[in-house]
Amino acid sequence: MNTLADQWMRQGRDAGLVDGRQEGELKGVRTTLLNQAAAKFEYVPVGFSKKVHAIEDIDTLNSLSLSLLKADTLETFEALVDKATAPKQTMQ
């Protein structure tokens, strides 16, 4: 028989697994994006790397990875990263 404590523990474990998978996916996409940028532009400044690591949205990272293919310079790509990470303006 499952106690309430057992159910809570199972729910906590399941939530932890989901969070761990999501964080692992984010880490993988960030690493790939930075590796590809370094391969394309021959270097990636530390500040740029920190910007990429601050991105928490997988869709934004995936979009940036596609934008990297089209960017001619690191500065162009960094501007896209800055735009993607800028605080959203709200309409009043």
Side-chain angles (χ1 to χ4, degrees):
M1 183 170 156
N2 287 331
T3 66
L4 187 56
D6 290 334
Q7 291 174 6
W8 287 344
M9 286 176 50
R10 187 173 28 262
Q11 288 173 348
R13 184 185 64 240
D14 292 346
L17 288 172
V18 169
D19 289 346
R21 283 189 204 112
Q22 290 172 342
E23 187 57 38
E25 186 177 8
L26 282 169
K27 182 179 179 182
V29 175
R30 286 181 190 125
T31 299
T32 299
L33 181 62
L34 289 169
N35 286 340
Q36 289 174 338
K40 183 170 183 170
F41 302 120
E42 298 185 9
Y43 77 100
V44 175
V46 173
F48 177 77
S49 178
K50 288 180 180 180
K51 290 177 189 179
V52 171
H53 281 286
I55 299 171
E56 296 288 331
D57 182 66
I58 193 73
D59 293 331
T60 299
L61 289 166
N62 285 327
S63 177
L64 287 169
S65 69
L66 293 175
S67 297
L68 175 61
L69 297 172
K70 298 175 185 176
D72 293 328
T73 65
L74 179 60
E75 291 75 20
T76 300
F77 184 58
E78 190 166 11
L80 294 171
V81 171
D82 289 341
K83 184 176 178 182
T85 59
K88 305 294 184 227
Q89 299 281 330
T90 58
M91 306 252 325
Q92 292 187 17

